[in-house]
Amino acid sequence: MGFPDGRELHEECGVVGFYGVGHASSHAFMALQALQHRGQQGCGIASVDDGNFFLHKGEGPVRDVLGEQQIATLPGNSCIGHVRYPTTEVGGQENLQPFLFSRKDSRFALAHNGNIVNAASVKQYLERHGHIFHSTSDSELFAYLVGSGLRGEDWDANIRAAAHLLDGAFSTVILTRNTLYACRDKYGFRPLSLGSLGKGYVVASETCALDTVGAKFIRDIEPGELIAIGPDGIRSSFHSHSGSRCMCSMEYIYFARPDSVIEGCSVHGFRKLSGRLLQEEHPADADLVTCIPESSMSAAIGFAESGGLPLEMGLIKNMYVARTFIQPSQSLRDIGVRMKLSPVRSIVKGKRVAVIDDSIVRGTTSRQIVQMLRDAGATAVHMRIASPPYAWPCYYGIDTGTKEQLLAYGRSVEDIRRYIGADTLEYLSVEGLYKASGRTQLCTACFNGAYPTDLYQNNAE
Ligand code: AMP
Ligand code: SF4
């Protein structure tokens, strides 16, 4: 589930781009809905038609911001779109994407997912040289660098030069009057996939968006790669090389939709295997297994199958609770969990229950769930977490809070078990995480503090 305490401001964003597709903005509307789980704070689409740019964006989910009327104001066969959660920036209209910018006598639109770790130093440098920024967003910085024409008139070279200056996580789409660009940072933190649709092309943060619009998956954009889709087809070049492939492991664990495939690994497949491996590492003396709907469903299936235990609906989710419900105190946070989740008494009463969750961040959810299950008559609650202890802050676009807010920071598993009140608590190992992904490289910084980049001034605590 998402954070129960109103901290719905802590995920990341999703981007899409269409080139040469009839009714591009209607397709983008559908693709953005498929990426809605990546952000509900705001969304927007920028399209281009006959050299003219059109933009509509607003606060709220896709269905509220982009109705039929708005889509009708976004003509053309090419467009980009964005769904957002604020990350390091504050919320507000001025930070909604896509952004429209001017470069000499031409315009371009840009939308971005991620967090740039050297943004403050690059901005300070530019401000010292007299440049003024209107929003607090990394995207404006990226666009500013593109627009400043670091490499003269050549768009490809300018975007490469801008991307090369920026360190951190970005999956970015840029639309000029006749070209759609898509690029990923050199580490490859955030996903970005390319597909074809009729004679046109689509890029999207997740393959589930390609599936929704009926596009055919071609390949993932590579870390450090810039692709340009224009009248002459697709050009590929590289703005930087890091030699690493540090896909965010939380994409596999929690963020991405289970039907997406990220760099060749099915998200559902990953989660199910992580549940199996968790069970092999830490079996539970239980009568039944339950997930916390819905994010830990795949892991719970794997855990139950591997342990030969029945998977039951021990908890149900109220889907109609407002996501923006703000709960400023711990007692209200606790009620927040109870509003979202309820135990099914007839299933858990008198049973030893193994509860599978994908992660523990502050511990609010787990603590409440243990109590709820006990209140409903469970005789034992064994908590199993399908990822390692989340103990280090993320600087790459997943704003889960400071070290002090992370329950696992500086605490042992036994300390955490006591805090959440479970009979037993176990986590998947980092080795298990790698095994489930079938990869040799991942970003695991929030689990072990091994940050793939320099942290610049972000690590000031
Ligand atoms: P907490 O209650 O703070 O321990 O949060 C853990 C719960 O939030 C788990 O059930 C996860 O499914 C979910 N979760 C993990 N990371 C995030 C995130 N960045 N944003 C929203 N929810 C999250
Ligand atoms: Fe993902 Fe964690 Fe790395 Fe952030 S620190 S990019 S959440 S794996």
Side-chain angles (χ1 to χ4, degrees):
M1 67 178 282
F3 286 131
D5 57 357
R7 289 176 303 134
E8 301 292 356
L9 311 178
H10 297 265
E11 285 180 50
E12 33 161 19
C13 307
V15 295
V16 297
F18 287 81
Y19 181 87
V21 174
H23 305 289
S25 56
S26 300
H27 284 89
F29 167 79
M30 292 187 265
L32 289 176
Q33 282 210 321
L35 297 181
Q36 189 78 87
H37 59 287
R38 297 181 75 86
Q40 289 128 46
Q41 191 258 343
C43 62
I45 295 176
S47 72
V48 66
D49 189 29
D50 205 16
N52 297 311
F53 280 83
F54 302 86
L55 173 69
H56 185 81
K57 55 186 178 178
E59 286 182 272
V62 178
R63 65 164 185 271
D64 293 351
V65 175
L66 294 160
E68 221 172 291
Q69 260 179 334
Q70 289 76 28
I71 296 292
T73 66
L74 298 164
N77 292 344
S78 301
C79 71
I80 59 171
H82 189 261
V83 285
R84 97 181 284 267
Y85 265 111
T87 50
T88 55
E89 319 125 21
V90 287
Q93 274 283 348
E94 73 279 15
N95 281 321
L96 293 173
Q97 302 188 39
F99 288 105
L100 264 188
F101 289 93
S102 298
R103 182 172 172 261
K104 292 198 172 164
D105 47 2
S106 50
R107 303 186 87 189
F108 67 99
L110 179 145
H112 151 105
N113 167 212
N115 187 45
I116 291 164
V117 279
N118 67 343
S121 22
V122 176
K123 259 185 203 163
Q124 266 164 24
Y125 174 84
L126 290 169
E127 275 164 0
R128 271 204 306 274
H129 288 77
H131 305 287
I132 297 161
F133 289 92
H134 300 290
S135 80
T136 54
S137 133
D138 287 356
S139 325
E140 192 193 7
L141 179 62
F142 199 147
Y144 185 85
L145 292 171
V146 172
S148 61
L150 298 163
R151 294 285 179 276
E153 295 312 305
D154 181 341
W155 279 97
D156 295 32
N158 276 324
I159 297 172
R160 276 197 302 272
H164 188 73
L165 277 177
L166 300 172
D167 201 6
F170 54 87
S171 280
T172 304
V173 285
I174 296 174
L175 185 65
T176 67
R177 58 186 295 280
N178 61 5
T179 306
L180 169 67
Y181 291 93
C183 78
R184 280 176 80 199
D185 67 72
K186 62 182 171 186
Y187 312 96
F189 283 109
R190 303 278 152 234
L192 193 59
S193 301
L194 169 68
S196 63
L197 185 58
K199 291 199 168 94
Y201 293 94
V202 189
V203 291
S205 290
E206 286 185 41
T207 59
C208 66
L210 301 184
D211 295 337
T212 297
V213 297
K216 212 166 120 220
F217 173 79
I218 300 176
R219 67 175 176 89
D220 294 307
I221 317 280
E222 292 291 310
E225 188 182 17
L226 170 69
I227 64 159
I229 311 172
D232 304 327
I234 300 184
R235 300 185 292 278
S236 162
S237 59
F238 283 80
H239 58 81
S240 316
H241 291 275
S242 77
S244 52
R245 300 184 81 90
C246 301
M247 176 57 67
C248 164
S249 41
M250 282 304 280
E251 291 280 353
Y252 290 112
I253 294 164
Y254 170 77
F255 297 118
R257 232 170 71 164
D259 55 334
S260 287
V261 177
I262 299 179
E263 293 189 340
C265 173
S266 141
V267 173
H268 168 73
F270 166 92
R271 291 181 189 166
K272 192 169 164 189
L273 185 52
S274 72
R276 289 195 83 85
L277 296 167
L278 176 63
Q279 195 281 330
E280 285 168 22
E281 289 181 6
H282 303 290
D285 203 5
D287 302 309
L288 60 93
V289 176
T290 186
C291 71
I292 301 187
E294 269 93 44
S295 58
S296 67
M297 173 65 96
S298 308
I301 295 172
F303 192 96
E305 270 183 19
S306 163
L309 291 168
L311 177 64
E312 275 288 3
M313 213 164 68
L315 292 158
I316 57 156
K317 184 178 175 182
N318 179 351
M319 287 183 294
Y320 305 103
V321 174
R323 286 187 70 101
T324 46
F325 186 60
I326 307 288
Q327 295 129 5
S329 70
Q330 185 61 42
S331 59
L332 287 172
R333 277 201 279 277
D334 292 347
I335 296 171
V337 181
R338 284 170 189 271
M339 274 176 63
K340 277 195 172 179
L341 292 167
S342 312
V344 181
R345 197 174 289 271
S346 59
I347 289 177
V348 301
K349 190 165 187 279
K351 297 288 183 347
R352 298 166 304 164
V353 182
V355 186
I356 316 302
D357 202 0
D358 51 86
S359 53
I360 295 180
V361 182
R362 279 208 223 177
T364 312
T365 311
S366 322
R367 193 176 151 105
Q368 279 294 304
I369 277 166
V370 172
Q371 193 54 50
M372 263 184 222
L373 290 169
R374 289 203 197 286
D375 292 347
T379 53
V381 181
H382 300 290
M383 201 80 194
R384 295 291 180 273
I385 307 299
S387 61
Y390 194 112
W392 300 87
C394 174
Y395 299 104
Y396 308 121
I398 312 296
D399 197 0
T400 39
T402 60
K403 282 176 189 164
E404 292 66 32
Q405 291 169 323
L406 301 173
L407 186 60
Y409 179 68
R411 291 193 181 86
S412 67
V413 174
E414 175 53 18
D415 291 339
I416 300 170
R417 184 200 66 75
R418 240 181 285 123
Y419 176 79
I420 68 170
D423 292 85
T424 65
L425 165 69
E426 301 290 353
Y427 288 86
L428 183 69
S429 64
V430 174
E431 297 71 45
L433 193 64
Y434 276 101
K435 213 166 160 187
S437 69
R439 301 170 59 110
T440 53
Q441 281 187 313
L442 275 171
C443 177
T444 53
C446 47
F447 306 123
N448 56 12
Y451 294 99
T453 69
D454 192 327
L455 292 182
Y456 304 86
Q457 62 277 46
N458 297 292
N459 199 20
E461 315 117 80

